[in-house]
Amino acid sequence: SSDKKSMDINNAAAIYVRRSSKQDKEQSTSIARQRRLCTEAAERLGLTVVQEYNEGEGKSVSHLHSVERPQWDTAMEDAGSVYGTLILEKVDRADRKGAASIGKLLDHAEASGVRVVTCNGQDSSSEAGRLMMVIEGEQARAEIAKAGERIREAKQERRASGSILGGSVPYGHRLVRFVDKPSVIELDEEECKVIRFIVQMYLDGASFNGVAAACRERGVKTRKGGQINQQWIARILGGP
């Protein structure tokens, strides 16, 4: 009855897995590895895994960026009714928003009669374990903040030196590569002539279609050899 249900819930565990980036090639953060470690942790604790909440890849959760996580939302709703222990590979699989966010998770778990454990030995059922989880949550937030600052500084340096920051090179420019220093973007005079022609026609009152037709008459092609159309003209006039 109710005692049996309580006993079953206490022995029931759920695991939650997610991977921040699809482009992350590190196997240390793979879904398969997280699943294996969480399953092994359940076995050590004498628990039976009854549910896996798999958020998949490309689910970055930090104070800088967040996405919808339907699996996480379901896991929180199921706390105390489907499982009695939630297993995470590390605290940062919950999120990387910092101490306050992890504190809310632990409060919700406690109110639901659930404990949260991690594969590195943290357990929210003890005050010491709870404290360590909050600290690790803040450390995860700090790591994201530091990484973001390093990226911004690197971009500023590359921008100051004229280096390309990534993406396609804007029309009117070309990428110059060097062996011993970073690539830089320079003006492409031939493409600049086309841009000046387009701008002048537009200022003289020509429509996008009219400018495109004039470009085709002059034999102008896109970089990939395609025909010039009004959409391409609009991008050129609206570009940097």
Side-chain angles (χ1 to χ4, degrees), residues 17-155:
V17 294
R18 73 173 178 87
R19 192 178 187 183
S20 298
S21 173
K22 294 180 180 180
Q23 286 72 44
D24 184 2
K25 303 301 182 183
E26 292 291 333
Q27 291 302 308
S28 61
T29 60
S30 70
I31 295 292
R33 181 177 184 275
Q34 291 179 51
R35 180 184 296 114
R36 175 176 59 80
L37 291 175
C38 290
T39 301
E40 291 173 356
E43 292 175 355
R44 288 195 303 272
L45 294 168
L47 301 173
T48 300
V49 175
V50 297
Q51 185 68 43
E52 174 183 312
Y53 301 96
N54 186 344
E55 209 73 70
E57 300 181 335
K59 298 293 184 179
S60 178
V61 186
S62 72
H63 67 291
L64 300 176
H65 177 70
S66 188
V67 297
E68 291 185 358
R69 292 190 295 164
Q71 289 292 301
W72 178 257
D73 294 340
T74 301
M76 293 298 96
E77 292 173 1
D78 290 348
S81 60
V82 174
Y83 62 87
T85 300
L86 178 63
I87 304 177
L88 309 169
E89 185 215 0
K90 293 187 296 185
V91 170
D92 67 4
R93 293 306 85 194
D95 68 46
R96 293 179 172 178
K97 295 181 179 179
S101 183
I102 296 301
K104 289 180 180 179
L105 161 63
L106 299 179
D107 286 344
H108 176 74
E110 184 177 14
S112 303
V114 166
R115 65 171 174 162
V116 181
V117 301
T118 64
C119 297
N120 62 349
Q122 304 304 343
D123 189 331
S124 69
S125 64
S126 72
E127 289 303 316
R130 180 185 173 101
L131 176 60
M132 285 305 302
M133 286 184 170
V134 171
I135 292 173
E136 287 184 7
E138 191 61 23
Q139 288 175 335
R141 182 187 187 281
E143 289 172 2
I144 292 293
K146 288 179 181 177
E149 184 60 30
R150 286 195 296 268
I151 292 171
R152 285 191 294 272
E153 289 176 354
K155 285 186 175 182

Side-chain angles (χ1 to χ4, degrees), residues 206-221:
S207 66
F208 286 176
N209 273 329
V211 177
C215 285
R216 290 194 296 270
E217 289 176 4
R218 293 167 65 98
V220 177
K221 303 281 188 181

